Amino acid sequence: MDIDDHEITIEELEMRYTTSVDKGLTSSFAREILERDGLNELKPPKGTPEYVKFARQLAGGLQCLMWVAAVICFIAFGIELGRGNLTSFDDLYLAIVLIAVVVVTGCFGYYQEFKSTNIIASFKNLVPQQALVIRDGQKNQINANELVVGDLVEIKGGDRVPADIRIITSQGCKVDNSSLTGESEPQTRSPECTHENPLETRNIAFFSTTCLEGVATGVIINTGDRTIIGRIASLASGVGNEKTPIAIEIEHFVDIIAGLAIFFGFTFFVVAMFIGYAFLEAMIFFMAIVVAYVPEGLLATVTVSFTSTITSVCSTSVICSDKTGTLTQNRMTVAHLWFDNHIHAADTTEDQSGQSFDQSSETWRSLARVAALCNRAIFKPDQEGIPIPKRIVVGDASETALLKFTELTVGNTMDYRNRFKKIVEVPFNSTNKFQLSIHELEDPLDLRYLLVMKGAPERILERCSTILVKGQELPLDEQWSESFQTAYMDLGGLGERVLGFCHLYLNEKEFPRGYHFETDDMNFPTSGLCFAGLISMIDPPRATVPDAVMKCRTAGIRVIMVTGDHPITAKAIAANVGIISEGSETVEDIAQRKRIPVEQVNKSEARACVISGGQLKDMSSDELDEALRNHPEMVFARTSPQQKLIIVESCQRLGSIVAVTGDGVNDSPALKKADIGVAMGIAGSDAAKNAADMILLDDNFASIVTGVEQGRLIFDNLKKSIAYTLTKNIPELTPYLVYITVSVPLPLGCITILFIELATDIFPSVSLAYEKAESDIMHLKPRNPRRDRLVNEALAVYSYFQIGAIQSFAGFTDYFTAMAQEGWFPLLCVGLRGQWEDVKLQDLQDSYGQEWTYSQRLYQEYTCYTVFFVSIEICQIADVLIRKTRRLSAFQQGFFRNRVLVSAIVFQLCLGSLNVNTLGYFLFRVQWWFVPVPYGILIFVYDEIRKLGVRRHPGSWWDQELYY
Amino acid sequence: MEDDRKGSSEWREFFWNPRTHELLGRTAASWGLILLFYLIFYLCLAGMFAFTMYIMLLTLDDYKPTWQDRLATPGMMIRPKGNQLEITFSTSDTESWDGFVHNLNSFLSPYNDSYQVQTNDECTPDEYFIQEDSGEVRNNPKRSCQFNRTILEECSGVWDRFYGYDKGQPCILIKLNRVIGMLPGKDRQSPYVTCAAKREDSDKIGLLAYYPPNGTFNLMYYPYYGKKAQVNYTQPLVAVKFLNASLNTDINVECKVTSNTLAAGSDRDKFAGRVSFKLRINDK
């Protein structure tokens, strides 16, 4: 951020923008600037036109192949038509089906892309409509898009900030920056520059944030795309949308398939030309091989049932998590109390199921009284039925925490306050750093006033002369001061926000009833008070998070906390949830323990590391990589959302697959850059949700881990599903190869192949998605994206050359059986192709001496298609059964536990026999279903043997070659 | 560029890694082992394939196919047969019909009377020549009936060496496809062939003469017992002679078999129980 407008004086600012903080710009000058800078609007970046995106979906590797195949079909059909042969519409049907497949899968792909690229749309509704501007000393209401740099504008509660504004005057102005930074607490805006970082300083209000209360005037320092949010918007659209790991895997797989299809097709094209086929015939072979080899149904199956983003998280190896709201409950809660020289732990669980502390002490009663009275927060009315922690409170975070705490421990706080009638109060401000109020006592006979005060502990202690111990007021001597300091340090070390509480009974003689207390002059004592105790608050971790972090550890996933919070708080929470595990030390811890300077500590000894945003700014990317490599447990504190992007990039350089959580607009670049961007469903801004790959509905970190578990399961199942789908491509391909090389009558036609691909095999391959995990998948390391591919060599080789080969043999056995039973013995079939396909030959002799017309032979060929189809179906049933498991025996996994799979098999059989009985306009014999059964059994038994070997001899040759 | 070079060297390394002596990612021993595995695997598979094929072949009958439903209506075919089903010639141009005559001569040579008398029996006309097996005992070889070339009379090529082609009165032989066990007629009624021109050519076709008379396929030539059992089976023929077909014009002729047992062929098969061809006789 190269902004220094917040650091310069008002005069310099006036000079810079030739404006005046009283009168604003002159109208004519404003017009000039408007012409120079353009309208104050966010311009959507030039996107790719929609039709190009759609066209791209239709022009992938496989799609191109299928287009080529379809064109060849059309040409073949055209030539047949030209020859006057009107009977053969197969080529036309084939072309239409191929085009339909391409278009339908293209639509799916386009829809998915469409969903993920709508980021700019969400910025549009952040832009305010009207703004109050002072020009020529006159207040005018103008359209916000006509504002220019240097304009003096006025904002009030409820307005959207119309541009980036340097605040000149402010009366209690508070803004909601949540859309920008994700911080949900209202931020005060005042004229003073409080921080060198423009995002942190109080005197700049940002475009598109909302002014919650108060009034402010300011000078516009940036408009349109030059505003902070405009830059983020262009940054977000500038960051390449990283493809999710699963998309990369599928692309990789599709590339292989397309490559192999072209290779096979081309080889056989050349072979066919060499053998002496005509060019067109060779092209048709090419087309048929492409159709046979490309798994047409797979793209649709995968897009429909598997590419839910949940699959993407499976390979996550690093999770960069926010703290607030994700790891924690996002509500300040009283965690500890210090009184009677003891630190007492309060119950911080979400449902108040934890242990409470001893409340019998007199001191506790006084402390609770101060906490209850010196508190301006109130419950919103009509919330009796709601559990206390969930009730809505009006007031700031610490007061809310205290109110809920007293409500839980003391009881009806509102009633309690009524009994101690409040006379006067001094609210908290940054100079005093305390808040006090004066109350009448509960007992109407006691005419003393009670002064209660809370504030920064050291300031409170300064004002105290006595301390309450076990109900006794003792003088506050050195010893007590020291124990106070120890307690304060301890609580602070836990990352908790500590407040001190004290009180004083005002003498009824000096301050009789009706005494006029002046809050400005403070005509009452504010020192010599009696110290009651400390209460510390924290945003406690969610109950499920430590378990989830533990699970991540066993699953080899590294959890990195990235937060805007203070390092100490961050570290405490990290330690609390297990991101920093027990016994892990940071460099600073070791230095402290060994009493040596930080520089002398051996950095490799420190497992944990806390890096603040300030340190991060000074680190080179190499140093950051180094730190991430050396310290397995990392916490980044006080980071800006921009730094999140740097951290993500660094993790990715180290080869990790990074999941990032985020909620603010500012997070959207990091969310886009991450392999898996996770937006918060509740706290997240629309921009973040649009940039994300996944939305966490409950904002809970544990859900990410559940997602990883689910994702790993689906990844495994996707692998099985693909293995299942790939296998049948071999028995679809071999008929062509044999047809071309050995010249048997064609055993399997293209339409039948498409029927297998697009109808009967779809359901079993989808049903594998419902398979249960084979083992505890959360005890395995995340997959290495370079080595553990979705489709690896072993999977392809096993599917193609072993199971696929068995299926081919099954098909040919059934084919030769059907041929032989009709009179065509296997040896006669070899080399028969030329005569068989001769349209003019009406009396071809079979092995028995019978003579066949062309049509009779053609019907016989159709029977063969069906027979081959049936064989593939039977073998695919065996195939889906073996694909249920990769390592376990199918008997261990259970045959009927996956109900979907069972019904898919039944469905497949029904669809298959329907096809056999309707599409085949001829008799089909039931016994042909049984011919391939031995091969089905062979597939099952062989795979059981394979799995047995893999289980018995892990790491052996067998395991290496045959486990996929 | 650097990436490219890195990529290509990676590929080269993958193809042949001199450090580890790996070809395509495997050492020689590894290649040997995996190839051995696949050799055994495929040998076993081939063995299983051979075994199942053997079992399948055992179930087949040597003399009759398991199923014949594809051949419910037998196909028909004409002779002489060229590349197309077209008989086009000029009466004056000997070369144009010489091929047809040769074709017919060679086709009819097994029908020579001398040969037929030698190998085949004389059978009772209009009756099936049934030669049943008695249970497991095969009644083989089965005898066949004589179909003497002279039955075709004018179209036998015995008296008219050129089958009428030189005179513009060509003979076309028609045969019914062999189907094992087919019984093409009942009640002593033999199936017969009728030829007619397609609609628009009906006035061009002229008179036709059928040999044997009425164009019948006599029942005594049926049933057929397959080429293994009935080695010398002689397929009956019907000859059609076009006596005064119009010259210099295409005539589309369709010949049909009429039988009281065979199902009429479906529309899908243009050659089941019928045959169509084009005839064109030029005078120059």
Side-chain angles (χ1 to χ4, degrees), chain A residues 545-566:
Chain A
V545 168
D547 276 351
V549 172
M550 199 57 219
K551 235 178 182 176
C552 284
R553 250 171 222 283
T554 57
I557 300 168
R558 188 172 173 193
V559 182
I560 294 177
M561 182 196 274
V562 183
T563 174
D565 264 348
H566 198 273

PDB file of all heavy atoms in Angstrom, chain A residues 545-566:
ATOM      1  N   VAL A 545     -12.537 -28.451  17.922  1.00  0.00           N
ATOM      2  CA  VAL A 545     -11.330 -28.137  17.158  1.00  0.00           C
ATOM      3  C   VAL A 545     -10.101 -28.959  17.577  1.00  0.00           C
ATOM      4  O   VAL A 545      -9.408 -29.481  16.713  1.00  0.00           O
ATOM      5  CB  VAL A 545     -11.066 -26.615  17.187  1.00  0.00           C
ATOM      6  CG1 VAL A 545      -9.680 -26.299  16.668  1.00  0.00           C
ATOM      7  CG2 VAL A 545     -12.111 -25.914  16.361  1.00  0.00           C
ATOM      8  N   PRO A 546      -9.813 -29.096  18.898  1.00  0.00           N
ATOM      9  CA  PRO A 546      -8.607 -29.867  19.241  1.00  0.00           C
ATOM     10  C   PRO A 546      -8.611 -31.278  18.634  1.00  0.00           C
ATOM     11  O   PRO A 546      -7.594 -31.721  18.101  1.00  0.00           O
ATOM     12  CB  PRO A 546      -8.653 -29.928  20.765  1.00  0.00           C
ATOM     13  CG  PRO A 546      -9.421 -28.731  21.162  1.00  0.00           C
ATOM     14  CD  PRO A 546     -10.444 -28.529  20.094  1.00  0.00           C
ATOM     15  N   ASP A 547      -9.737 -31.938  18.673  1.00  0.00           N
ATOM     16  CA  ASP A 547      -9.829 -33.267  18.066  1.00  0.00           C
ATOM     17  C   ASP A 547      -9.544 -33.205  16.578  1.00  0.00           C
ATOM     18  O   ASP A 547      -8.827 -34.046  16.026  1.00  0.00           O
ATOM     19  CB  ASP A 547     -11.240 -33.842  18.251  1.00  0.00           C
ATOM     20  CG  ASP A 547     -11.370 -34.493  19.603  1.00  0.00           C
ATOM     21  OD1 ASP A 547     -10.323 -34.630  20.265  1.00  0.00           O
ATOM     22  OD2 ASP A 547     -12.503 -34.835  19.977  1.00  0.00           O
ATOM     23  N   ALA A 548     -10.134 -32.184  15.951  1.00  0.00           N
ATOM     24  CA  ALA A 548      -9.966 -32.047  14.506  1.00  0.00           C
ATOM     25  C   ALA A 548      -8.505 -31.801  14.154  1.00  0.00           C
ATOM     26  O   ALA A 548      -7.978 -32.379  13.202  1.00  0.00           O
ATOM     27  CB  ALA A 548     -10.840 -30.914  13.984  1.00  0.00           C
ATOM     28  N   VAL A 549      -7.848 -30.975  14.966  1.00  0.00           N
ATOM     29  CA  VAL A 549      -6.429 -30.696  14.707  1.00  0.00           C
ATOM     30  C   VAL A 549      -5.622 -31.978  14.883  1.00  0.00           C
ATOM     31  O   VAL A 549      -4.722 -32.293  14.102  1.00  0.00           O
ATOM     32  CB  VAL A 549      -5.911 -29.581  15.636  1.00  0.00           C
ATOM     33  CG1 VAL A 549      -4.416 -29.424  15.499  1.00  0.00           C
ATOM     34  CG2 VAL A 549      -6.602 -28.271  15.318  1.00  0.00           C
ATOM     35  N   MET A 550      -5.985 -32.728  15.914  1.00  0.00           N
ATOM     36  CA  MET A 550      -5.312 -34.012  16.177  1.00  0.00           C
ATOM     37  C   MET A 550      -5.475 -34.936  14.969  1.00  0.00           C
ATOM     38  O   MET A 550      -4.524 -35.587  14.525  1.00  0.00           O
ATOM     39  CB  MET A 550      -5.982 -34.636  17.412  1.00  0.00           C
ATOM     40  CG  MET A 550      -5.158 -35.690  18.087  1.00  0.00           C
ATOM     41  SD  MET A 550      -3.568 -35.015  18.571  1.00  0.00           S
ATOM     42  CE  MET A 550      -2.570 -36.425  18.165  1.00  0.00           C
ATOM     43  N   LYS A 551      -6.677 -34.964  14.450  1.00  0.00           N
ATOM     44  CA  LYS A 551      -6.967 -35.806  13.293  1.00  0.00           C
ATOM     45  C   LYS A 551      -6.106 -35.391  12.108  1.00  0.00           C
ATOM     46  O   LYS A 551      -5.589 -36.227  11.381  1.00  0.00           O
ATOM     47  CB  LYS A 551      -8.445 -35.656  12.914  1.00  0.00           C
ATOM     48  CG  LYS A 551      -9.181 -36.974  12.860  1.00  0.00           C
ATOM     49  CD  LYS A 551     -10.628 -36.713  12.518  1.00  0.00           C
ATOM     50  CE  LYS A 551     -11.420 -37.985  12.501  1.00  0.00           C
ATOM     51  NZ  LYS A 551     -12.826 -37.748  12.258  1.00  0.00           N
ATOM     52  N   CYS A 552      -5.990 -34.077  11.935  1.00  0.00           N
ATOM     53  CA  CYS A 552      -5.147 -33.575  10.859  1.00  0.00           C
ATOM     54  C   CYS A 552      -3.731 -34.090  11.021  1.00  0.00           C
ATOM     55  O   CYS A 552      -3.081 -34.499  10.071  1.00  0.00           O
ATOM     56  CB  CYS A 552      -5.103 -32.047  10.871  1.00  0.00           C
ATOM     57  SG  CYS A 552      -6.585 -31.318  10.226  1.00  0.00           S
ATOM     58  N   ARG A 553      -3.247 -34.067  12.264  1.00  0.00           N
ATOM     59  CA  ARG A 553      -1.902 -34.527  12.518  1.00  0.00           C
ATOM     60  C   ARG A 553      -1.729 -35.979  12.076  1.00  0.00           C
ATOM     61  O   ARG A 553      -0.776 -36.314  11.379  1.00  0.00           O
ATOM     62  CB  ARG A 553      -1.615 -34.451  14.019  1.00  0.00           C
ATOM     63  CG  ARG A 553      -0.652 -33.401  14.369  1.00  0.00           C
ATOM     64  CD  ARG A 553      -0.603 -33.269  15.876  1.00  0.00           C
ATOM     65  NE  ARG A 553      -0.562 -31.860  16.194  1.00  0.00           N
ATOM     66  CZ  ARG A 553       0.541 -31.136  16.078  1.00  0.00           C
ATOM     67  NH1 ARG A 553       1.659 -31.697  15.699  1.00  0.00           N
ATOM     68  NH2 ARG A 553       0.519 -29.851  16.343  1.00  0.00           N
ATOM     69  N   THR A 554      -2.661 -36.829  12.509  1.00  0.00           N
ATOM     70  CA  THR A 554      -2.522 -38.245  12.127  1.00  0.00           C
ATOM     71  C   THR A 554      -2.661 -38.398  10.621  1.00  0.00           C
ATOM     72  O   THR A 554      -2.066 -39.283  10.033  1.00  0.00           O
ATOM     73  CB  THR A 554      -3.580 -39.128  12.817  1.00  0.00           C
ATOM     74  OG1 THR A 554      -4.860 -38.624  12.475  1.00  0.00           O
ATOM     75  CG2 THR A 554      -3.416 -39.141  14.306  1.00  0.00           C
ATOM     76  N   ALA A 555      -3.426 -37.512  10.011  1.00  0.00           N
ATOM     77  CA  ALA A 555      -3.615 -37.616   8.565  1.00  0.00           C
ATOM     78  C   ALA A 555      -2.501 -36.910   7.800  1.00  0.00           C
ATOM     79  O   ALA A 555      -2.579 -36.775   6.587  1.00  0.00           O
ATOM     80  CB  ALA A 555      -4.964 -37.026   8.174  1.00  0.00           C
ATOM     81  N   GLY A 556      -1.493 -36.449   8.538  1.00  0.00           N
ATOM     82  CA  GLY A 556      -0.354 -35.839   7.871  1.00  0.00           C
ATOM     83  C   GLY A 556      -0.639 -34.458   7.315  1.00  0.00           C
ATOM     84  O   GLY A 556       0.054 -33.998   6.425  1.00  0.00           O
ATOM     85  N   ILE A 557      -1.666 -33.838   7.827  1.00  0.00           N
ATOM     86  CA  ILE A 557      -1.987 -32.497   7.339  1.00  0.00           C
ATOM     87  C   ILE A 557      -1.487 -31.474   8.345  1.00  0.00           C
ATOM     88  O   ILE A 557      -1.688 -31.623   9.549  1.00  0.00           O
ATOM     89  CB  ILE A 557      -3.512 -32.333   7.151  1.00  0.00           C
ATOM     90  CG1 ILE A 557      -4.014 -33.349   6.151  1.00  0.00           C
ATOM     91  CG2 ILE A 557      -3.843 -30.926   6.702  1.00  0.00           C
ATOM     92  CD1 ILE A 557      -5.503 -33.450   6.129  1.00  0.00           C
ATOM     93  N   ARG A 558      -0.822 -30.473   7.839  1.00  0.00           N
ATOM     94  CA  ARG A 558      -0.254 -29.469   8.699  1.00  0.00           C
ATOM     95  C   ARG A 558      -1.269 -28.335   8.834  1.00  0.00           C
ATOM     96  O   ARG A 558      -1.850 -27.906   7.845  1.00  0.00           O
ATOM     97  CB  ARG A 558       0.985 -28.969   8.006  1.00  0.00           C
ATOM     98  CG  ARG A 558       1.828 -28.066   8.770  1.00  0.00           C
ATOM     99  CD  ARG A 558       3.087 -27.892   7.935  1.00  0.00           C
ATOM    100  NE  ARG A 558       3.896 -26.891   8.553  1.00  0.00           N
ATOM    101  CZ  ARG A 558       4.926 -26.325   7.941  1.00  0.00           C
ATOM    102  NH1 ARG A 558       5.234 -26.690   6.726  1.00  0.00           N
ATOM    103  NH2 ARG A 558       5.632 -25.425   8.558  1.00  0.00           N
ATOM    104  N   VAL A 559      -1.456 -27.892  10.078  1.00  0.00           N
ATOM    105  CA  VAL A 559      -2.392 -26.793  10.277  1.00  0.00           C
ATOM    106  C   VAL A 559      -1.597 -25.545  10.632  1.00  0.00           C
ATOM    107  O   VAL A 559      -0.802 -25.547  11.564  1.00  0.00           O
ATOM    108  CB  VAL A 559      -3.403 -27.108  11.398  1.00  0.00           C
ATOM    109  CG1 VAL A 559      -4.383 -25.962  11.530  1.00  0.00           C
ATOM    110  CG2 VAL A 559      -4.122 -28.399  11.125  1.00  0.00           C
ATOM    111  N   ILE A 560      -1.772 -24.508   9.851  1.00  0.00           N
ATOM    112  CA  ILE A 560      -1.073 -23.254  10.105  1.00  0.00           C
ATOM    113  C   ILE A 560      -2.128 -22.219  10.456  1.00  0.00           C
ATOM    114  O   ILE A 560      -3.137 -22.094   9.771  1.00  0.00           O
ATOM    115  CB  ILE A 560      -0.295 -22.807   8.851  1.00  0.00           C
ATOM    116  CG1 ILE A 560       0.828 -23.796   8.564  1.00  0.00           C
ATOM    117  CG2 ILE A 560       0.248 -21.396   9.025  1.00  0.00           C
ATOM    118  CD1 ILE A 560       1.604 -23.489   7.307  1.00  0.00           C
ATOM    119  N   MET A 561      -1.877 -21.518  11.578  1.00  0.00           N
ATOM    120  CA  MET A 561      -2.843 -20.497  11.956  1.00  0.00           C
ATOM    121  C   MET A 561      -2.400 -19.165  11.394  1.00  0.00           C
ATOM    122  O   MET A 561      -1.240 -18.775  11.516  1.00  0.00           O
ATOM    123  CB  MET A 561      -2.943 -20.413  13.481  1.00  0.00           C
ATOM    124  CG  MET A 561      -3.965 -19.406  13.956  1.00  0.00           C
ATOM    125  SD  MET A 561      -3.738 -19.009  15.674  1.00  0.00           S
ATOM    126  CE  MET A 561      -4.672 -20.291  16.443  1.00  0.00           C
ATOM    127  N   VAL A 562      -3.303 -18.502  10.732  1.00  0.00           N
ATOM    128  CA  VAL A 562      -3.011 -17.170  10.198  1.00  0.00           C
ATOM    129  C   VAL A 562      -4.079 -16.239  10.750  1.00  0.00           C
ATOM    130  O   VAL A 562      -5.254 -16.420  10.472  1.00  0.00           O
ATOM    131  CB  VAL A 562      -3.061 -17.156   8.661  1.00  0.00           C
ATOM    132  CG1 VAL A 562      -2.692 -15.782   8.139  1.00  0.00           C
ATOM    133  CG2 VAL A 562      -2.133 -18.200   8.082  1.00  0.00           C
ATOM    134  N   THR A 563      -3.669 -15.300  11.568  1.00  0.00           N
ATOM    135  CA  THR A 563      -4.674 -14.470  12.226  1.00  0.00           C
ATOM    136  C   THR A 563      -4.211 -13.027  12.309  1.00  0.00           C
ATOM    137  O   THR A 563      -3.017 -12.735  12.232  1.00  0.00           O
ATOM    138  CB  THR A 563      -4.977 -15.015  13.642  1.00  0.00           C
ATOM    139  OG1 THR A 563      -5.852 -14.117  14.291  1.00  0.00           O
ATOM    140  CG2 THR A 563      -3.708 -15.164  14.449  1.00  0.00           C
ATOM    141  N   GLY A 564      -5.163 -12.169  12.453  1.00  0.00           N
ATOM    142  CA  GLY A 564      -4.837 -10.766  12.647  1.00  0.00           C
ATOM    143  C   GLY A 564      -4.623 -10.428  14.115  1.00  0.00           C
ATOM    144  O   GLY A 564      -4.275  -9.306  14.457  1.00  0.00           O
ATOM    145  N   ASP A 565      -4.797 -11.414  14.971  1.00  0.00           N
ATOM    146  CA  ASP A 565      -4.705 -11.176  16.405  1.00  0.00           C
ATOM    147  C   ASP A 565      -3.272 -10.980  16.879  1.00  0.00           C
ATOM    148  O   ASP A 565      -2.317 -11.199  16.154  1.00  0.00           O
ATOM    149  CB  ASP A 565      -5.300 -12.371  17.152  1.00  0.00           C
ATOM    150  CG  ASP A 565      -6.734 -12.099  17.527  1.00  0.00           C
ATOM    151  OD1 ASP A 565      -7.144 -10.931  17.403  1.00  0.00           O
ATOM    152  OD2 ASP A 565      -7.424 -13.044  17.926  1.00  0.00           O
ATOM    153  N   HIS A 566      -3.194 -10.616  18.148  1.00  0.00           N
ATOM    154  CA  HIS A 566      -1.916 -10.439  18.806  1.00  0.00           C
ATOM    155  C   HIS A 566      -1.180 -11.780  18.879  1.00  0.00           C
ATOM    156  O   HIS A 566      -1.796 -12.810  19.099  1.00  0.00           O
ATOM    157  CB  HIS A 566      -2.180  -9.903  20.223  1.00  0.00           C
ATOM    158  CG  HIS A 566      -0.973  -9.301  20.829  1.00  0.00           C
ATOM    159  ND1 HIS A 566      -0.067 -10.056  21.508  1.00  0.00           N
ATOM    160  CD2 HIS A 566      -0.507  -8.034  20.830  1.00  0.00           C
ATOM    161  CE1 HIS A 566       0.918  -9.273  21.929  1.00  0.00           C
ATOM    162  NE2 HIS A 566       0.675  -8.038  21.522  1.00  0.00           N
TER     163      HIS A 566
END
